[in-house]
Amino acid sequence: QGQLVESGGGLVQAGDSLRLSCAASGRALSSYTVGWFRQAPGKEREFVSAVSRNGADTAYAHSVKDRFTISRDNAKNTVYLQTDSLKPEDTAVYYCAAHPYYSGTLLQGYNIWGQGTQVTVSS
């Protein structure tokens, strides 16, 4: 059975950038919409961004719009989340999720999840 694997997290300072990757194994990611979510300690998991299967349509949470950019390389079976101008409040575990058709903001809409990658932003 295929799975999603996130990578690229780390400890950075405020204002720095990270590129998160979501790689798929055992399935063609091009057949799925992909979303990024994050969960900070003591908080609920929240929507960050999503991209359509062909990459033409994207969506962002208001808190990350103009700082984060989602993209995909279907040839590499990978979706990316470029995070720029990071703030301490961006500190969280970042998860990618996939679904054959759903590309909205609800966690319940996605049926395939990765294990997450930690992003920590110091002030």
Side-chain angles (χ1 to χ4, degrees), residues 22-114:
C22 172
S25 62
R27 64 178 79 242
L29 202 56
S30 58
S31 298
Y32 296 83
T33 64
V34 176
W36 282 96
F37 292 78
R38 66 186 182 186
Q39 187 165 19
K43 295 187 177 181
E44 294 187 351
R45 195 171 299 188
E46 64 176 6
F47 171 79
V48 175
S49 184
V51 62
S52 60
R53 286 181 287 181
N54 64 3
D57 298 309
T58 59
Y60 297 93
H62 179 74
S63 59
V64 306
K65 192 172 178 60
D66 298 327
R67 297 189 299 121
F68 290 10
T69 304
I70 192 170
S71 63
R72 65 191 304 158
D73 185 339
N74 287 335
K76 295 184 178 179
N77 225 23
T78 302
V79 171
Y80 304 99
L81 184 69
Q82 177 68 37
T83 65
D84 297 323
S85 302
L86 284 163
K87 304 176 182 180
E89 51 263 44
D90 294 319
T91 295
V93 177
Y94 284 70
Y95 300 88
C96 65
H99 189 274
Y101 303 106
Y102 183 76
S103 61
T105 64
L106 299 178
L107 279 72
Q108 299 90 332
Y110 296 87
N111 60 341
I112 304 166
W113 289 82

